[in-house]
Amino acid sequence: MRILSGIQPSGALHLGNYFGMMRPAIELQEKGEAFYFIADYHSMTSLFDPAERRRNTLDVALDFLACGLDPKRAVFFKQSDVPEVCELTWMLGTLTPMGLLERCTSYKDKTAKGIPVNHGLFAYPVLMAADILIYDSNIVPVGQDQKQHVEVTRDIAIKFNEQYGQTFVIPEPQIRGETAKVPGVDGEKMSKSYGNTIEIFGDEKTLRKKVMAIKMDSRTPAEPKPDADQNLAIQLLKVIDPGVGQEWEDRLRAGGPGYGDLKKKLFESYWESFAAARQKRAELLANLDYVNGILAAGAAKARTKAAEVLKRARVASGLE
Ligand code: ADP
Ligand code: TRP
């Protein structure tokens, strides 16, 4: 069974990325042959600074490895080290109806807001389909917001198979219910583009401040709070440590604890739960040759598989 997922190097990774995609992906690496990559081609649709792209790419590599991606089990690589995926993107694009892409929220949301979009952003789901199909992927662990893209991938693969004969494996998205949508410090979905993130790795003081600034209502501590499950700090605490989160939810429900103490607990739980990863990240940062070696070895393995599937598609469609 092949498991595949990607993450864009478009900014510092946050708890939404970790609980929505990285942790499930890391757990799945035990269950089959996992391919995980840094989607640097995808980042070109929204990030135009070369130095920033290089820096972010390295950061994603460090973050993912520090969080537990095991290069002995998973094939870890940079998307653009397998340029075959661009050829397949072209082939798939010729079978992709315009309407299918016009319905994709990434494009639809931007145009609705009057933001000019480039062709790359419009064609983004086709590149993602190529990413998935070129490795014969069965399972794609992603957060809720990427589900539509995996469905588009399935549509395109079915169409190709109907047109040119059985070529691609039809993939399934895998979305974890409880952490499908981690809220940010403002209550909206946590996202790099909303400026509401709690980074996985960052400066302690800045992050503590961010957590302590989460807005609460004006009820007194003693007042029982039957709606404690709606409290943002509780929701985040439950994502980080379900047991402790439930305990504080019950305490809040009964009345007693103050919001300041709750937020302190939230910060501590978060900070402690990444202590080992922080240590690991510092070690990796001091050993960049090792990190680059992992990506190079991963790219070589991924490329071999990609070449095989691409060849199949070229033959099926009459290019060869
Ligand atoms: P962002 O919205 O911050 O730009 P990406 O679109 O790069 O994040 O998402 C990378 C991965 O992390 C995807 O699989 C996505 O579904 C997941 N993800 C991002 N934000 C969240 C969130 N708030 N809750 C759950 N999963 C998320
Ligand atoms: N679009 C995904 C995101 O923004 C990243 C991505 C690119 C991806 N290609 C993929 C995820 C293939 C899963 C499979 O999060």
Side-chain angles (χ1 to χ4, degrees), residues 26-72:
I26 288 164
E27 285 169 9
L28 276 171
Q29 70 191 359
E30 315 288 330
K31 305 244 157 62
E33 191 181 14
F35 275 42
Y36 298 138
F37 66 92
I38 306 169
D40 55 349
Y41 279 143
H42 273 104
S43 76
M44 297 186 82
T45 60
S46 58
L47 179 74
F48 301 93
D49 180 334
E52 204 179 333
R53 188 170 353 270
R54 276 188 209 104
R55 197 175 50 241
N56 287 347
T57 301
L58 177 62
D59 278 342
V60 171
L62 292 169
D63 289 1
F64 224 139
L65 289 166
C67 285
L69 187 148
D70 179 357
K72 289 195 203 72

Side-chain angles (χ1 to χ4, degrees), residues 4-8 37 39 42 124 128 131-132 140 142 146 149:
L4 172 127
S5 197
I7 192 155
Q8 289 193 61
F37 66 92
H42 273 104
Y124 182 110
M128 184 155 160
D131 287 330
I132 296 171
V140 185
V142 282
Q146 294 297 320
H149 290 150

Side-chain angles (χ1 to χ4, degrees), residues 30 53 81 92 102 147 150 209 254 274 283 319:
E30 315 288 330
R53 188 170 353 270
D81 281 340
L92 299 179
E102 276 159 3
K147 187 166 179 246
V150 183
K209 237 180 164 170
F274 290 102
E283 287 162 20
L319 290 174

